[in-house]
Amino acid sequence: MASMRSVEIGTMYGGASDRILRRLPSTLEHFVVDPFLAGYDDKGDVTSVRFATFAKDKGVPREHFSLAWAEAMAYDFRRHFGCRYHLFHAKSLEGAPHFENNSLDAIFIDGLHTYEGLLDDIRAWWPKLSTKGGLMIFNDYGSRAFPGVQKAVQTFVSPLGLQVKVGKLGKPPGHRNAYVVRWR
């Protein structure tokens, strides 16, 4: 199988990265973009609250916690998957310029789950996706907890005439996830 390149926007504990790298061919090169920010949204975002709690419990400034978490994750994943795994310790919009347009086969967006945040991610990353059937996957598309996700996806794809495919339990791209395919 030819080499493939994928990007995961937002990873938290790395569960999706682990499944992707274990299940897909060894020719896959997987990139992760995450700032691991603690406390950026103390009211609405579970990850933000968890990271802030971890940092507070350990008596570590939030910035130091973010860097330590990123270094630990990069070390652990590189130990298991070698040069197939790459971590960009950055916000999504800061990571996008590091990739050429039309250079990625799949993008899994699991970053900010707000309407504005997701719409910004889609707009920044869409040009990076291959026009030969590149796949963009959206986490929590069917979740009532994050109504902005579905709204942002529809705002972007409707003018392009793209059809959103929704996953199901046990069927790709997974429960509460959806995807679109980019063709020329």
Side-chain angles (χ1 to χ4, degrees):
M1 180 175 228
S3 64
M4 296 171 25
R5 297 178 73 200
S6 63
V7 169
E8 179 182 357
I9 310 300
T11 191
M12 191 173 182
Y13 299 116
S17 290
D18 186 68
R19 286 187 298 280
I20 288 166
L21 287 162
R22 287 184 192 280
R23 293 180 182 172
L24 293 177
S26 61
T27 55
L28 174 76
E29 190 175 13
H30 187 64
F31 299 85
V32 173
V33 180
D34 198 315
F36 303 106
L37 295 178
Y40 63 87
D41 179 0
D42 290 332
K43 294 184 173 111
D45 190 282
V46 174
T47 302
S48 170
V49 172
R50 283 186 183 151
F51 281 176
T53 301
F54 291 158
K56 182 180 177 188
D57 289 350
K58 300 298 179 189
V60 176
R62 291 177 180 187
E63 301 79 30
H64 294 157
F65 171 83
S66 171
L67 182 59
W69 191 275
E71 288 177 354
M73 184 158 299
Y75 173 82
D76 188 48
F77 273 83
R78 289 300 291 247
R79 192 168 51 93
H80 286 97
F81 300 107
C83 61
R84 295 177 60 208
Y85 178 87
H86 309 276
L87 174 68
F88 282 82
H89 182 224
K91 292 179 181 177
S92 171
L93 301 182
E94 295 166 352
H98 293 276
F99 295 86
E100 291 183 25
N101 288 351
N102 203 27
S103 68
L104 300 170
D105 300 292
I107 300 170
F108 177 62
I109 302 180
D110 187 13
L112 285 176
H113 281 51
T114 64
Y115 172 78
E116 296 82 7
L118 182 58
L119 194 55
D120 286 346
D121 283 348
I122 296 170
R123 287 177 175 151
W125 288 92
W126 184 256
K128 311 306 177 184
L129 199 58
S130 171
T131 57
K132 297 177 182 176
L135 192 67
M136 184 172 274
I137 304 166
F138 311 100
N139 179 251
D140 288 321
Y141 180 84
S143 172
R144 286 186 219 154
F146 304 108
V149 170
Q150 189 168 359
K151 183 179 175 188
V153 171
Q154 290 302 324
T155 296
F156 185 82
V157 303
S158 291
L160 299 175
L162 297 172
Q163 184 177 6
V164 177
K165 304 279 187 175
V166 180
K168 297 180 180 165
L169 195 58
K171 302 237 182 212
H175 181 56
R176 287 194 245 158
N177 292 335
Y179 69 93
V180 294
V181 179
R182 182 174 188 209
W183 296 100
R184 286 191 199 269

